[in-house]
Amino acid sequence: MKALNITTLLLVIVGGINWGLVGALQFDLVAAIFGGQDALLARLVYVLVGLSALWQVMPLLKSVSVDEVRAQAHR
């Protein structure tokens, strides 16, 4: 499970960097590497980044709920 979390986190970081480049420079690195936005490999990367972001929501929600329980215990 740790390997999956690390892999998905890396893909989310790649996606964030790509969106930063698109926003700042109008340059889509994933599309440039894999042959355009409509290329199969580019679309696969986009889908994997999106699924990775969804996967990373689970640890985020878990950490928030754990911290809330700890915060309530210290009141």
Side-chain angles (χ1 to χ4, degrees):
M1 197 62 114
K2 183 178 178 179
L4 182 59
N5 283 335
I6 291 171
T7 302
T8 58
L9 183 58
L10 288 173
L11 282 169
V12 169
I13 291 168
V14 166
I17 291 169
N18 193 56
W19 274 110
L21 288 170
V22 169
L25 305 173
Q26 296 181 344
F27 178 70
D28 188 339
L29 182 62
V30 172
I33 291 172
F34 295 109
Q37 288 182 338
D38 293 331
L40 182 62
L41 285 176
R43 291 179 54 145
L44 179 64
V45 170
Y46 297 141
V47 168
L48 289 175
V49 167
L51 291 173
S52 296
L54 291 174
W55 181 263
Q56 286 298 318
V57 169
M58 291 188 301
L60 175 67
L61 293 176
K62 184 177 178 182
S63 70
V64 169
S65 67
V66 168
D67 289 339
E68 285 180 1
V69 170
R70 288 182 185 159
Q72 293 294 328
H74 288 98
R75 284 183 127 184

